[in-house]
Amino acid sequence: MAKAIKQIRRIEVTEEEKRANDLREIEDALLENKDALLETLQVVGGMKERGILSLLNGLFGEGDRVLKVLVDLLNQPENTAALKNMLLLVGTMGNINVKELEPLLLKVNAGIENVAEHGEDTKKTGYLDLLRTLKDPEVNRSLTILITFLKGMGKDTENEGQLKD
């Protein structure tokens, strides 16, 4: 009959073997991720050329002082209100139907372009000129859109603005 094993001897790996295995493992990982590493190095090189790395090193070196300045700035009442308004605006943007807004924004852009082209016009507009422009189909269409928009703004939206849980 066989004798029972009473002692287990672990195979001891020397420091040189461990280092060689670690280097082989790192080398394999480098080869597997070659493209990602090259792109990362390009990004880091661009950051160095533009001085961003120096800026980040300075920020990390003075991290506590920079953090204190930021906290002090955010602690001012006007900045706190601005931050609150920004968060409210970002939350509200999620409720905007962009597909319905796009045609209106295109028209607003066209209006801005028209003002940029004719904005320096020093000619005064009289009452009769206003009445004549109402016959212009583009002006009439714009006024109809504006009136429809104003009617929508006048609707009771008390129940629509509440967040649903």
Side-chain angles (χ1 to χ4, degrees):
M1 217 161 51
K3 291 184 180 180
I5 299 175
K6 293 182 182 177
Q7 256 189 339
I8 299 175
R9 276 187 276 148
R10 296 182 185 251
I11 300 174
E12 292 188 25
V13 181
T14 65
E15 278 296 316
E16 290 177 13
E17 290 174 339
K18 185 177 185 311
R19 183 174 170 86
N21 287 337
D22 289 345
L23 283 173
R24 210 174 4 254
E25 188 177 337
I26 291 171
E27 187 179 71
D28 291 342
L30 287 172
L31 290 173
E32 286 175 19
N33 298 299
K34 173 187 165 194
D35 294 334
L37 288 168
L38 290 175
E39 286 182 32
T40 303
L41 289 174
Q42 285 178 340
V43 169
V44 171
M47 289 171 71
K48 179 157 179 61
E49 288 174 9
R50 288 167 182 78
I52 294 172
L53 289 181
S54 300
L55 176 70
L56 290 176
N57 280 332
L59 282 175
F60 290 133
E62 299 292 328
D64 291 340
R65 288 178 44 193
V66 171
L67 188 60
K68 183 184 180 335
V69 168
L70 283 174
V71 168
D72 289 344
L73 283 173
L74 289 175
N75 203 20
Q76 294 176 0
E78 63 271 7
N79 293 338
T80 304
L83 188 59
K84 181 180 175 184
N85 289 341
M86 185 181 71
L87 291 173
L88 182 62
L89 182 63
V90 169
T92 304
M93 288 178 75
N95 295 331
I96 295 175
N97 188 341
V98 179
K99 286 188 179 187
E100 290 179 7
L101 188 62
E102 183 180 17
L104 182 64
L105 290 176
L106 292 173
K107 291 177 184 185
V108 168
N109 282 339
I112 291 171
E113 287 176 12
N114 197 18
V115 168
E117 290 174 14
H118 303 98
E120 297 296 321
D121 217 354
T122 57
K123 179 183 157 192
K124 290 189 176 186
T125 304
Y127 295 116
L128 291 176
D129 294 326
L130 282 174
L131 292 173
R132 276 189 221 112
T133 55
L134 289 175
K135 292 180 182 178
D136 184 347
E138 292 175 352
V139 172
N140 197 298
R141 226 181 345 240
S142 297
L143 283 173
T144 304
I145 290 171
L146 183 60
I147 290 168
T148 306
F149 176 76
L150 291 173
K151 283 182 180 178
M153 277 185 60
K155 281 185 181 178
D156 182 21
T157 57
E158 189 174 313
N159 296 330
E160 293 179 24
Q162 296 173 350
L163 294 176
K164 296 170 185 135
D165 292 322

